[in-house]
Amino acid sequence: MRDVAIIGVGMGQWGELWEKSLRDIFVEAALLAIDDAGVDHIDSMYIGCMSSGLFVGQEHLASMLSDYLGRKPIPAAHVESACASGGLAVRQGFIDVASGMSDIVLVGGVEKMTDVGGDEATYALGTAADQEWEGYNGITFPGLYAMIARRHMHLYGTTRQQLAQVAVKNHQNGSKNPLAQYPMKVTLEQVMNSTMVADPLRILDCSPITDGAAALILCPLEKAKALSKKRPVKIIGTGHATDSIALHHRNDLAAVEGTRIAGEKAFKMAGLAPKDIQLAEVHDCFTIAEICVIEALGFAEKGKGGPATESGMTALGGKIPVNTSGGLKSKGHPVGATGVAQVVEIVKQLRGEAGERQVKNARRGLTQNMGGSGGSNIVHIMEVV
Amino acid sequence: MRDVAIIGVGMGQWGELWEKSLRDIFVEAALLAIDDAGVDHIDSMYIGCMSSGLFVGQEHLASMLSDYLGRKPIPAAHVESACASGGLAVRQGFIDVASGMSDIVLVGGVEKMTDVGGDEATYALGTAADQEWEGYNGITFPGLYAMIARRHMHLYGTTRQQLAQVAVKNHQNGSKNPLAQYPMKVTLEQVMNSTMVADPLRILDCSPITDGAAALILCPLEKAKALSKKRPVKIIGTGHATDSIALHHRNDLAAVEGTRIAGEKAFKMAGLAPKDIQLAEVHDCFTIAEICVIEALGFAEKGKGGPATESGMTALGGKIPVNTSGGLKSKGHPVGATGVAQVVEIVKQLRGEAGERQVKNARRGLTQNMGGSGGSNIVHIMEVV
């Protein structure tokens, strides 16, 4: 397999983009990535999107987006793994370049979620759960993650304040990200007094509904310097693991086992351990998710994700800053775009282009993207060359 | 890149499978393929499915199907390219094995289309067209292919009888396929007098709505003999091309330019020409489609697909039998499964296991799978080793 580098990244403003269509926001991010890399063509495309069918009544994105980017007849593939669709697109693009099939690959993630009403969006997101056993019996994702939170609190004594601290930290980071949907800072009191959604999760524990896109340009590492003036960021580890789609089939409700396995695969491929990583972007769809994920990845001991967050370990300036972009909580969560945008943030940080939220002397970063309640899990580790 | 072989194939009965769910029909085909190959594990999975979101309210197939096949935590990816989703899954599985990332890969295709009513199925299929420019203005796929047919008739003198002959031939073949949804034979008169759908296309010019699945096991060619007792079928060419998603953006309505490009790529990779192929499975979603496709692939001259069909060139016993399985017309068209089932048929033929519809002395076969009105196009060429 060939070594693979990222030589371009692109991302537009995220939010409720009612004046733009799905194809518009994808093309905007893709052109930014192409311009950032400085390449004059692309060989193939991978698009992560969870459900353009349910959100905007459009499937067949491979054809539509290569067409609207002016890139037909190149091969283009749409991949889906619920909220991990973006991470899956990164992985499939990596495999394409590593195999020798393509040299310059565009990886995009996109979701247009606000063209439907709240009930329809909740239904569409619910299709990431096991519909026959979970969805049709009435549960939605806040309820599933609330059960995970309750179990974590029961087993480990995780507190309501510790959950809230994830939101406080990520909004603090997001306030330094001009592309974030909700860049306002929030206090512990505001989170803990916000509207109840599914006990113990309140509205400020939940990531929002977002329109947005993000894109990357990948190429063989050996060609990176000839193709682009940007400092290449090498993908040194990739891990992908599935778990039971239904939460009730898991052995341990308070752990994301698939993320542990995907993380171990990525660390093994990179020949590294968690201590070798300087920052991470992880899947904080709900505050409890970030706590479970930092435990699964080995940044915190099992059951200690809450106290670790409270201690400032994952804050900017801490031992391992997590979600410097603002995370899904503050930056927004256009589900198919999230996994690609996580990589955009790591590349910007590793290149020293993260402005006010820059992590000093960052050489290696990690992304963790998750579908449903942890049914699919994708981890990448990157190193600036 | 490593050479890739197919060592197992599986497909259950296709039809209106009201007593089974999507997960059931996928698992049935996957177990048949695993059993056929005789492997004791798989390393990763690729699933082609067009729109389980709209047809059964379930996304996140990667997690669900690896779970229900008892294969978690292996990496699993769902890929979508409308009616070419199955072909795309084959291609992504090929790249995965060729890259060295995985050794034993399960490629599956599945669609469960009859759990919704006819109007909803028509809407779901319509999301393969450009919704903003085509779908929301009222056109559906029979209308799009009717315009292609009218243009082909105008330019080349293609006749109503020639269109009907595609259906007659494919139902004749399908009558020899015990897994086909509509194995009845039809006459020219029956096709030409059947209910009008979109002039000149009648109901017997159209492929049906189908529930079904199909699956393959891929592995590196060099490991095929150690892994399986089955005679390996090597994938010697793969080609993938996109075209404008909207029909009105094409330069030539009466040609499938993306299929021509994908075919040329696959032939170039294989170092072969159309004359070197003994049989093909192509995307006859409507009778006119098969005529355009055999021209695009070079089996017939441009504009001569109608007379070539009428002459018996593409019939069993002809120079290049096309759709010996019955094609989409008679075997059925569960959209995400179709591209995988095409490969199942070619493998059975090349192994000499096609029963009454066996093509004698077949050494090399081709599959062509197409999304929408030709917006995505995937061609594979296979050779028995």
Side-chain angles (χ1 to χ4, degrees):
Chain A
M1 294 191 356
R2 304 193 292 186
D3 286 334
V4 179
I6 303 161
I7 55 171
V9 297
M11 178 174 155
Q13 180 68 50
W14 283 11
E16 295 186 32
L17 310 177
W18 293 351
E19 77 290 5
K20 294 178 181 175
S21 73
L22 183 147
R23 62 191 82 187
D24 296 330
I25 58 180
F26 165 78
V27 167
E28 182 183 350
L31 289 177
L32 286 168
I34 290 170
D35 188 51
D36 185 49
V39 293
D40 62 0
H41 73 286
I42 52 179
D43 295 326
S44 74
M45 274 171 51
Y46 288 85
I47 309 298
C49 183
M50 175 179 163
S51 192
S52 53
L54 291 167
F55 283 118
V56 296
Q58 178 73 63
E59 301 283 5
H60 209 191
L61 290 186
S63 170
M64 193 182 74
L65 298 179
S66 73
D67 185 11
Y68 275 81
L69 190 60
R71 296 293 94 202
K72 72 180 172 87
I74 67 165
H78 163 218
V79 301
E80 179 271 325
S81 198
C83 308
S85 300
L88 182 58
V90 176
R91 181 172 160 96
Q92 296 307 133
F94 169 86
I95 294 174
D96 195 345
V97 175
S99 74
M101 181 68 88
S102 303
D103 273 350
I104 308 180
V105 172
L106 187 143
V107 172
V110 63
E111 208 83 49
K112 183 78 174 78
M113 302 173 74
T114 71
D115 289 1
V116 293
D119 285 359
E120 291 165 283
T122 299
Y123 171 77
L125 290 167
T127 64
D130 187 325
Q131 285 291 69
E132 293 182 16
W133 290 96
E134 295 180 324
Y136 295 150
N137 290 301
I139 200 155
T140 59
F141 276 96
L144 289 165
Y145 276 94
M147 289 194 278
I148 294 172
R150 276 277 167 236
R151 185 71 184 158
H152 205 278
M153 294 164 107
H154 172 75
L155 285 177
Y156 307 116
T158 303
T159 66
R160 190 42 273 200
Q161 287 84 340
Q162 290 164 352
L163 295 177
Q165 186 56 35
V166 173
V168 171
K169 168 182 72 72
N170 291 352
H171 277 277
Q172 177 77 28
N173 293 346
S175 73
K176 300 176 165 64
N177 184 348
L179 303 177
Q181 179 178 16
Y182 290 115
M184 79 287 191
K185 296 178 189 173
V186 298
T187 65
L188 268 183
E189 291 65 34
Q190 284 173 322
V191 180
M192 291 169 64
N193 293 320
S194 62
T195 304
M196 183 64 82
V197 177
D199 193 13
L201 300 179
R202 293 168 180 267
I203 190 79
L204 286 175
D205 288 289
C206 308
S207 57
I209 301 286
T210 312
D211 302 327
L216 312 171
I217 303 291
L218 309 185
C219 76
L221 179 61
E222 62 181 15
K223 298 187 181 179
K225 295 224 165 132
L227 284 168
S228 175
K229 291 176 186 165
K230 289 295 166 102
R231 203 168 162 195
V233 171
K234 181 181 169 186
I235 299 175
I236 58 175
T238 176
H240 182 182
T242 47
D243 197 353
S244 297
I245 184 166
L247 193 58
H248 62 261
H249 281 148
R250 308 264 172 85
N251 291 325
D252 182 353
L253 289 195
V256 280
E257 178 67 3
T259 284
R260 186 187 63 73
I261 296 169
E264 283 181 0
K265 286 182 187 179
F267 279 120
K268 186 179 173 192
M269 182 171 164
L272 297 173
K275 66 173 173 47
D276 302 313
I277 304 296
Q278 282 88 49
L279 79 161
E281 289 282 306
V282 310
H283 201 88
D284 60 322
C285 47
F286 297 91
T287 50
I288 183 63
E290 180 168 316
I291 287 174
C292 292
V293 166
I294 63 174
E295 296 174 9
L297 292 171
F299 296 130
E301 277 180 59
K302 191 162 183 178
K304 302 288 187 194
T309 303
E310 212 161 31
S311 76
M313 184 188 89
T314 54
L316 257 179
K319 189 174 143 206
I320 168 88
V322 170
N323 285 328
T324 58
S325 69
L328 286 58
K329 250 318 276 134
S330 164
K331 185 178 54 183
H333 184 28
V335 285
T338 283
V340 180
Q342 290 178 324
V343 176
V344 171
E345 175 70 7
I346 295 294
V347 169
K348 284 188 177 176
Q349 288 279 0
L350 297 184
R351 284 185 189 166
E353 297 171 0
E356 278 189 76
R357 61 187 194 278
Q358 182 66 47
V359 175
K360 287 181 190 156
N361 303 319
R363 193 174 154 224
R364 297 193 197 100
L366 176 148
T367 56
Q368 178 269 351
N369 189 201
M370 187 157 74
S373 59
S376 55
N377 307 264
I378 296 171
V379 173
H380 285 101
I381 303 175
M382 287 146 278
E383 181 177 82
V384 69
V385 178
Chain B
M1 294 191 355
R2 304 194 291 185
D3 286 334
V4 179
I6 303 162
I7 55 171
V9 297
M11 178 174 155
Q13 180 68 50
W14 283 12
E16 295 187 32
L17 309 176
W18 292 352
E19 77 288 6
K20 295 179 180 176
S21 73
L22 183 147
R23 61 191 81 185
D24 296 329
I25 58 178
F26 165 79
V27 167
E28 182 182 351
L31 289 177
L32 286 169
I34 290 169
D35 189 51
D36 185 50
V39 293
D40 62 0
H41 73 285
I42 52 179
D43 296 326
S44 73
M45 273 172 51
Y46 288 85
I47 309 297
C49 182
M50 176 178 163
S51 191
S52 52
L54 290 167
F55 283 117
V56 297
Q58 178 72 63
E59 301 282 6
H60 209 191
L61 290 187
S63 171
M64 193 181 73
L65 298 180
S66 73
D67 184 11
Y68 275 81
L69 190 60
R71 296 294 93 201
K72 70 179 174 87
I74 66 163
H78 163 218
V79 300
E80 180 272 324
S81 198
C83 307
S85 299
L88 182 60
V90 176
R91 183 175 158 94
Q92 296 308 134
F94 170 87
I95 294 173
D96 195 344
V97 175
S99 74
M101 181 68 87
S102 303
D103 273 351
I104 308 180
V105 171
L106 187 143
V107 171
V110 62
E111 208 82 49
K112 183 78 173 80
M113 302 172 75
T114 71
D115 289 1
V116 294
D119 285 359
E120 290 165 281
T122 299
Y123 171 77
L125 290 168
T127 65
D130 187 325
Q131 285 291 68
E132 292 183 15
W133 291 97
E134 295 180 323
Y136 294 149
N137 290 301
I139 200 155
T140 59
F141 276 97
L144 289 165
Y145 275 94
M147 289 195 277
I148 294 173
R150 276 276 167 235
R151 185 70 182 158
H152 205 278
M153 293 164 108
H154 172 74
L155 285 177
Y156 306 116
T158 302
T159 66
R160 190 42 272 199
Q161 286 85 341
Q162 290 164 353
L163 295 177
Q165 185 56 36
V166 173
V168 171
K169 167 182 71 72
N170 291 351
H171 277 277
Q172 176 77 27
N173 293 345
S175 72
K176 300 177 163 65
N177 185 347
L179 303 177
Q181 180 178 17
Y182 290 115
M184 78 287 191
K185 294 178 189 173
V186 297
T187 65
L188 268 183
E189 292 66 34
Q190 283 173 324
V191 180
M192 290 169 66
N193 292 320
S194 63
T195 305
M196 183 65 81
V197 177
D199 193 14
L201 300 178
R202 294 169 179 266
I203 191 77
L204 286 176
D205 289 290
C206 308
S207 58
I209 301 288
T210 312
D211 302 328
L216 312 172
I217 303 291
L218 310 186
C219 76
L221 179 62
E222 62 181 16
K223 298 187 181 178
K225 295 223 165 132
L227 284 168
S228 175
K229 290 176 187 166
K230 289 295 167 105
R231 203 169 161 195
V233 171
K234 181 181 169 187
I235 299 176
I236 57 175
T238 175
H240 182 183
T242 46
D243 197 353
S244 297
I245 184 167
L247 193 59
H248 63 260
H249 281 148
R250 309 263 172 86
N251 291 325
D252 182 352
L253 290 195
V256 280
E257 177 68 4
T259 284
R260 185 187 64 73
I261 296 169
E264 283 180 0
K265 286 182 186 178
F267 279 120
K268 186 180 172 190
M269 182 171 165
L272 297 174
K275 68 175 172 48
D276 302 314
I277 305 296
Q278 282 88 48
L279 78 161
E281 288 283 305
V282 309
H283 200 88
D284 59 324
C285 47
F286 297 91
T287 50
I288 183 63
E290 179 169 316
I291 287 174
C292 292
V293 166
I294 61 174
E295 296 175 9
L297 292 171
F299 295 130
E301 277 180 58
K302 190 161 181 179
K304 302 289 186 192
T309 303
E310 213 161 32
S311 76
M313 184 187 90
T314 54
L316 257 180
K319 190 174 142 203
I320 169 88
V322 170
N323 286 327
T324 57
S325 70
L328 287 59
K329 247 324 271 130
S330 165
K331 185 178 53 184
H333 184 28
V335 286
T338 284
V340 180
Q342 290 178 325
V343 176
V344 170
E345 175 69 7
I346 295 294
V347 169
K348 285 189 176 174
Q349 287 279 0
L350 297 184
R351 284 186 190 166
E353 298 171 359
E356 278 189 76
R357 60 186 194 279
Q358 182 66 47
V359 175
K360 288 182 189 155
N361 305 316
R363 191 171 156 226
R364 297 192 197 101
L366 176 149
T367 57
Q368 178 269 350
N369 190 201
M370 187 157 73
S373 57
S376 54
N377 307 263
I378 296 170
V379 173
H380 285 100
I381 303 175
M382 286 146 277
E383 180 176 81
V384 68
V385 178

